[in-house]
Amino acid sequence: METALGQQPAPFPFPARYSFPPFFSIQPNDATRGVQFKEWSSIIQSWCRHHRIYKLNLVEAIESQLFRNTTIKKQLSLNDARAVLEWMSKPEEERGGGRRAELVDTNSKTAAWIWWVWWRRPEEWAEIIGDWIDRTGQKNVVLTFYELLEGEATVSQEWHGMDPEVMMKSLNVLVKQGKAQIFGNEGQEGIKFF
């Protein structure tokens, strides 16, 4: 599988629990299932981060190494994978997944199968971007959307090459906080940071 940047990453280091056959069967006991879902959440987030995947299509991913361990011949079912992502979408205070997943689109027929996986939530990306702006003296400077995503100055930053929708969601957090202003037409946006 290629990353979002089209590069072949090093193999993903699955944790030991990934080789435990019962891990691929949703547990009936609520407490055990909660621990299991938390572990699946951690693996999904780490795997997506490793491969720089922001949007996960479950129909495609269910056949990938993420949900299928060929060594032990076990696979999480499509409905069970969806149940894990639904759990990941709940707030932490509801004994959920800490809002680490979100449906991409709730209106289409495929909506139930395409999810944002927030290995960093937009609020977390906004903080990282804001810190970079401060460190590099970019306050009161106008940067283009392209410069932030693909520019030479951001090559060493974790967000370089990220999904444009995730970047826009993150920048909108900074706008709501009064730390940035976005102007211009779609595809030609400029961002001024305060």
Side-chain angles (χ1 to χ4, degrees):
M1 171 174 279
E2 290 187 2
T3 66
L5 297 177
Q7 303 165 344
Q8 288 291 339
F12 178 74
F14 282 98
R17 65 185 167 266
Y18 182 77
S19 295
F20 185 55
F23 187 60
F24 289 84
S25 300
I26 300 302
Q27 300 301 303
N29 177 282
D30 287 344
T32 306
R33 185 174 50 253
V35 170
Q36 180 186 30
F37 279 14
K38 188 173 186 174
E39 290 175 353
W40 267 114
S41 174
S42 177
I43 289 173
I44 292 167
Q45 288 175 64
S46 297
W47 189 84
C48 287
R49 182 178 190 168
H50 179 82
H51 292 287
R52 297 189 48 82
I53 294 171
Y54 301 89
K55 236 183 251 184
L56 187 68
N57 182 326
L58 276 182
V59 173
E60 294 172 5
I62 203 69
E63 297 300 325
S64 74
Q65 188 182 24
L66 174 59
F67 295 115
R68 176 182 281 193
N69 185 328
T70 56
T71 304
I72 62 170
K73 296 182 173 98
K74 286 293 198 174
Q75 178 177 0
L76 198 63
S77 75
L78 183 61
N79 285 330
D80 289 348
R82 181 177 171 196
V84 171
L85 284 162
E86 287 173 349
W87 180 87
M88 289 171 65
S89 72
K90 293 180 181 175
E92 196 69 50
E93 54 273 6
E94 290 180 21
R95 299 180 67 114
R99 297 184 199 256
R100 290 293 172 181
E102 178 183 346
L103 279 170
V104 169
D105 175 11
T106 57
N107 296 322
S108 72
K109 289 182 181 180
T110 61
W113 309 112
I114 302 175
W115 293 78
W116 292 112
V117 174
W118 300 125
W119 39 279
R120 288 200 196 277
R121 289 187 288 267
E123 299 82 12
E124 294 165 331
W125 283 118
E127 185 175 339
I128 290 167
I129 294 166
D131 288 347
W132 179 80
I133 293 295
D134 288 342
R135 278 194 327 275
T136 58
Q138 305 277 350
K139 281 193 175 180
N140 296 313
V141 173
V142 176
L143 299 172
T144 66
F145 192 68
Y146 178 82
E147 284 177 302
L148 281 172
L149 279 177
E150 304 292 340
E152 287 182 29
T154 64
V155 168
S156 64
Q157 301 307 308
E158 190 178 17
W159 74 78
H160 184 82
M162 81 166 24
D163 183 289
E165 288 180 72
V166 176
M167 176 59 85
M168 191 55 76
K169 286 176 179 281
S170 303
L171 292 173
N172 280 324
V173 169
L174 291 170
V175 169
K176 288 178 185 171
Q177 294 173 345
K179 296 179 180 179
Q181 178 184 2
I182 301 172
F183 52 91
N185 299 324
E186 189 173 328
Q188 304 283 327
E189 295 94 348
I191 302 96
K192 184 173 183 176
F193 295 92
F194 310 109

